[in-house]
Amino acid sequence: MPRAPHDPLAQARHALSRCAPLDAAEQHRALRCISYLGLQDAAGQALKERGLYGWEGLQVGQLIRDFQTQDGRTLAHAGALAFYLRGPDGQPWGLKVRNLGTSQALQDCGLERYVYRIGRHGSPAWCSPRYGTGEAVLIVEGELNGAAASRALSRAGARVDVQGLAGANGTPFLEGLSGKPVYVYADPDAPGAACADRVAGIARAAGAAEVRVLSPLTDGDFCDLAGKLDVHAFGALLNSRMEGAELWQPSITGKTALPVKNADRHAKNDYWQTGSEGSGWGASASGWGASESNWSDPLRGGW
């Protein structure tokens, strides 16, 4: 029996069908889960180091209490970073929690790096403020990487819409891609290369004017750079990377389409925000939350 033709748009729409904005009751429930995140808190300090604390484009808080399943299994501890995932319409499509600690410490405790506090909403991408008004689109692996890029590009005066994917298996929203140049960046590893190739194919199928892939960073991600460079220098670097990005061509031989030349090296051993994340299913029966234990790699990434 012949294999059905690959249809990137159909696959993207299938993944996106699992996503939906939080309704009024879920938004109220989310507000009751979190409290103000201050600079005296570990997560607040980490955000400040990367220029994201207090930025109006990223709505954050911290968990008020431990997040547990109905059978008592802990998914996240009180004080963990919580951030809203805004969709292309500006509405909240999810509330995601980032557990603190090193990858090894989380593994020893049986915790995933990320969980969704409100379940049964798939794994939507994070969209930048005023999404849809930009002249181009940048799609990045990692929601917080997307936030770091959006802040830097906006400070640099670039009119670029940004989507931060829910990890290497995340799916971008299709809104805002048609007729615009689309740039893609993913981590310089095998899952990231596959992500860049897949997302580039989705963007082309969605009608992007052109699709280009940024050359990789070898020892860090956008959040790492946001912590090392001031926002203007980081914005200038991103602009330069986008100007020099190679035109994407679909992979035919099975080799990656991710360019590997001109990579910048950084002395960071633990990434601030990455992760191989998938469909986002694994919700508890109540729909109260979702764990990524079935499909994420706890050793891929860090802050």
Side-chain angles (χ1 to χ4, degrees):
M1 186 175 183
R3 180 179 297 179
H6 175 66
D7 187 343
L9 275 186
Q11 293 182 354
R13 288 176 177 134
H14 175 70
L16 292 169
S17 70
R18 303 170 177 174
C19 304
L22 302 183
D23 61 29
E26 289 169 327
Q27 291 186 45
H28 179 68
R29 186 195 306 172
L31 286 173
R32 293 173 57 192
C33 295
I34 60 177
S35 63
Y36 174 76
L37 182 66
L39 287 177
Q40 72 277 11
D41 303 305
Q45 276 292 333
L47 285 178
K48 182 177 183 297
E49 291 171 2
R50 289 152 181 89
L52 292 175
Y53 183 84
W55 180 51
E56 66 277 6
L58 183 66
Q59 188 176 358
V60 301
Q62 61 178 327
L63 286 187
I64 295 175
R65 61 184 66 86
D66 288 353
F67 174 30
Q68 297 180 326
T69 62
Q70 290 181 336
D71 60 4
R73 184 167 67 94
T74 298
L75 299 180
H77 289 297
L81 173 67
F83 57 96
Y84 281 94
L85 302 170
R86 298 280 175 178
D89 55 2
Q91 299 303 307
W93 285 60
L95 179 65
K96 199 166 187 177
V97 176
R98 185 187 190 283
N99 281 311
L100 302 175
T102 65
S103 297
Q104 187 60 52
L106 293 181
Q107 186 179 37
D108 292 344
C109 295
L111 295 176
E112 301 293 334
R113 173 66 70 190
Y114 291 99
V115 295
Y116 291 94
R117 187 60 183 86
I118 307 296
R120 298 180 179 174
H121 280 266
S123 51
W126 175 91
C127 292
S128 56
R130 297 171 295 281
Y131 183 88
T133 63
E135 298 173 348
V137 181
L138 172 63
I139 303 175
V140 183
E141 179 186 348
E143 300 96 332
L144 296 177
N145 285 329
S150 177
R151 177 177 179 267
L153 288 170
S154 63
R155 290 292 182 91
R159 295 182 57 191
V160 179
D161 296 326
V162 179
Q163 293 194 43
L165 299 177
N169 290 328
T171 300
F173 288 104
L174 303 179
E175 289 87 346
L177 304 184
S178 179
K180 293 183 179 181
V182 174
Y183 299 83
V184 179
Y185 181 82
D187 288 347
D189 53 18
C195 172
D197 199 41
R198 177 179 56 83
V199 171
I202 292 173
R204 171 178 282 187
E210 63 178 16
V211 182
R212 294 182 177 273
V213 179
L214 278 67
S215 58
L217 309 169
T218 58
D219 292 308
D221 56 22
F222 285 6
C223 282
D224 290 324
L225 283 178
K228 295 175 181 178
L229 305 175
D230 66 53
V231 66
H232 300 289
F234 182 34
L237 175 62
L238 286 180
N239 266 327
S240 175
R241 284 298 179 103
M242 292 174 68
E243 290 175 357
E246 296 185 1
L247 189 66
W248 176 80
Q249 297 295 334
S251 177
I252 298 175
T253 63
K255 296 181 180 180
T256 176
L258 183 66
V260 295
K261 67 181 182 180
N262 299 327
D264 287 345
R265 293 189 174 274
H266 298 278
K268 186 77 171 180
N269 295 321
D270 198 21
Y271 291 168
W272 198 71
Q273 200 263 308
T274 55
S276 300
E277 302 173 79
S279 66
W281 290 125
S284 66
S286 65
W288 184 243
S291 169
E292 297 183 349
S293 59
N294 292 332
W295 40 265
S296 67
D297 181 356
L299 296 180
R300 186 169 183 266
W303 243 117

